[in-house]
Amino acid sequence: MDCPAHAVFPTSRPPPEGLRCKTVHLIRHAEGTHNAAELEAERRQRFMKREEWRALRETHGVAFYLLESVTGLTYWDPPLTRLGRRQAAKLRRELTRSNVTFDAIFSSPFRRTLQTAMIGCPQIECLHRARPWWRKLGAWLRHEPCLPPPVVTTDLLRERIANYTSDGRRTVTQLAAEFPRVDFGEVSEEDRPFLESKELGKQEQPLVRARARRAVQWLMDRPTQQRTVAVVTHSHFLLALLGLFRLPDEGLLRFANAERRALHLCACQNDAQEGCDPTCTSAAAAAEKPP
């Protein structure tokens, strides 16, 4: 019997006593240029221009427009749109009003997630090179120090790895030049997962769910002082991650761009706790007893 290793609880109340928990703020990236391109291509029905595009749309849906055979590498590791930057700025205001601070920020190693984090998380906005000059001036005049929490990237948090160019990323050298104080230590220089570890077809969901389980364990293995964290990632991955837990149907709805949902993520060290299977450990223990 596979006993649950972790459980989630709403942040409307404290997590159960006796469990090792982190408060995790799940954030989908703000609108990227690829998101806008998909919508525009669908609105203009560009798939009608060529017979092969019609066939691709039948197979891939609106995402057909992000295939290399259709738009080349235009949407390789795409940045945020203007709307996306406004969405991230709205997220920053929301976090500021709610007085939410993070002990660490974990991100997929993609431009759109890192830009969302830099603009959307008030504590690290000072790291963003594209920060407006008037905000830099205001911070200087107020003598505000730039003391951000660690920002760490991992491929465990990346989007489902398909054949769309938006699923590929820049090299670490290129990303580090744009985001110089981000930790890319757990990410390979080249995008090896995109080249070697596709999550396609019938294996897509099992592979992404397995990676989501590894990501949960990775989060729980982070230092204990990192109790309140942000996870900035992608829509397909977020659905796979939340699908690991017992949640009401509304908890499994697709994330909007720059949407944030908070939860307590806990290790199931005590099988009697709500959210973990109360029969699992006892049944397993009974099965192990000698006759």
Side-chain angles (χ1 to χ4, degrees):
M1 179 180 292
D2 292 330
C3 299
H6 304 92
V8 295
F9 304 90
T11 56
S12 56
R13 59 180 185 270
E17 294 183 7
L19 290 186
R20 179 170 58 88
C21 302
K22 292 182 184 293
T23 302
V24 180
H25 293 252
L26 300 173
I27 300 170
R28 183 191 174 194
H29 65 79
E31 184 190 69
T33 55
H34 66 303
N35 297 135
E38 284 180 306
L39 295 175
E40 182 66 9
E42 188 69 8
R43 187 179 71 83
R44 293 179 177 271
Q45 295 192 324
R46 287 179 176 154
F47 60 89
M48 298 294 290
K49 289 185 176 182
R50 301 181 186 177
E51 189 63 35
E52 62 267 30
W53 285 14
R54 295 185 192 183
L56 288 172
R57 187 185 176 280
E58 286 292 323
T59 303
H60 298 273
V62 297
F64 91 95
Y65 199 66
L66 305 178
L67 292 167
E68 185 175 356
S69 62
V70 177
T71 49
L73 297 179
T74 302
Y75 300 106
W76 183 270
D77 201 357
L80 298 185
T81 62
R82 287 186 178 182
L83 173 60
R85 292 193 290 273
R86 292 198 297 271
Q87 291 170 339
K90 181 180 179 182
L91 171 65
R92 182 185 67 239
R93 293 191 296 271
E94 174 193 329
L95 289 169
T96 300
R97 283 196 303 269
S98 303
N99 198 30
V100 174
T101 58
F102 301 120
D103 301 315
I105 296 168
F106 306 125
S107 175
S108 160
F110 282 70
R111 294 180 73 197
R112 57 190 182 273
T113 48
L114 288 166
Q115 288 177 340
T116 300
M118 292 295 173
I119 300 171
C121 299
Q123 294 164 276
I124 63 170
E125 187 200 5
C126 61
L127 300 181
H128 189 34
R129 286 190 164 185
R131 189 185 191 192
W133 67 265
W134 60 87
R135 296 187 70 86
K136 294 180 182 177
L137 177 61
W140 180 79
L141 290 174
R142 292 190 296 272
H143 303 286
E144 292 179 354
C146 185
L147 301 172
V151 184
V152 181
T153 61
T154 172
D155 273 321
L156 290 173
L157 299 176
R158 66 184 293 152
E159 181 60 298
R160 167 267 287 119
I161 310 171
N163 287 320
Y164 310 113
T165 54
S166 58
D167 293 335
R169 63 163 173 81
R170 290 181 165 191
T171 65
V172 166
T173 298
Q174 292 170 319
L175 290 168
E178 187 174 355
F179 308 100
R181 290 176 66 179
V182 170
D183 182 352
F184 293 99
E186 300 196 22
V187 181
S188 60
E189 171 66 18
E190 301 292 334
D191 191 0
R192 283 166 41 198
F194 183 79
L195 299 174
E196 303 170 3
S197 306
K198 290 290 198 298
E199 297 162 337
L200 296 171
K202 294 181 179 179
Q203 289 301 307
E204 176 185 327
Q205 289 192 8
L207 288 172
V208 179
R209 283 174 64 89
R211 178 157 58 85
R213 286 192 184 93
R214 296 197 301 273
V216 168
Q217 188 60 59
W218 183 86
L219 287 170
M220 295 303 295
D221 288 343
R222 304 301 298 180
T224 55
Q225 62 267 31
Q226 296 176 354
R227 294 182 180 178
T228 301
V229 302
V231 172
V232 190
T233 180
H234 308 260
S235 59
H236 283 85
F237 179 78
L238 283 165
L239 290 177
L241 179 69
L242 292 178
L244 300 176
F245 305 105
R246 300 173 181 177
L247 293 171
D249 290 343
E250 59 269 21
L252 297 175
L253 294 176
R254 182 182 175 92
F255 277 63
N257 287 121
E259 181 180 351
R260 174 180 65 98
R261 301 180 197 173
L263 49 80
H264 297 304
L265 174 63
C266 304
C268 292
Q269 298 162 312
N270 181 345
D271 65 327
Q273 293 290 350
E274 178 187 357
C276 299
D277 188 339
T279 65
C280 185
T281 301
S282 57
E288 292 175 1
K289 287 183 179 180

